[in-house]
Amino acid sequence: MPREGTVFVFRSKRADRMKLLYRDSTGLVLAYKRLEEHTFIWPAIKDGLMALNHAQFEALFSGLDWRKARALSVRPPTAAEWIRLSFAAALRCWK
């Protein structure tokens, strides 16, 4: 049984279809995706595995060139910004 967080990816010979098999907290999930006009750009397979970070996988699954996807580094908010953001969110809830 695969561990949670592990995704098995199966691709077609034409590279326009993929199947994903993964486990979430309730069971196994099978996802199927077919591109109608393009093909997926697949990463190289090394030792039977292809490794992508989350941003790269999202790009691949969306049919984009995953090699151009970069995770953004985000500065955590300061305490003053956090209070201002929380207050603004609270005001939106009351409208």
Side-chain angles (χ1 to χ4, degrees):
M1 183 65 94
R3 294 180 309 169
E4 192 167 340
T6 302
V7 179
F8 295 93
V9 180
F10 304 91
R11 63 170 271 188
S12 66
K13 287 183 183 178
R14 288 186 240 158
D16 64 340
R17 289 168 272 174
M18 78 164 77
K19 291 180 186 174
L20 306 174
L21 183 64
Y22 62 95
R23 182 173 175 255
D24 68 2
S25 60
T26 61
L28 287 175
V29 178
L30 174 68
Y32 177 81
K33 177 113 182 201
R34 179 177 154 251
L35 296 179
E36 295 182 2
E37 297 180 14
H38 302 285
T39 58
F40 293 104
I41 298 172
W42 292 95
I45 298 173
K46 295 178 185 169
D47 298 325
L49 299 172
M50 64 179 185
L52 297 171
N53 65 33
H54 184 77
Q56 292 169 333
F57 174 76
E58 289 290 332
L60 172 70
F61 194 71
S62 297
L64 303 172
D65 187 349
W66 63 270
R67 296 170 294 189
K68 296 178 182 175
R70 300 283 183 263
L72 298 176
S73 59
V74 178
R75 178 185 57 81
T78 64
E81 291 172 328
W82 181 255
I83 292 169
R84 185 175 61 231
L85 292 172
S86 299
F87 183 70
L91 286 177
R92 280 193 297 266
C93 292
W94 287 99
K95 289 183 180 182

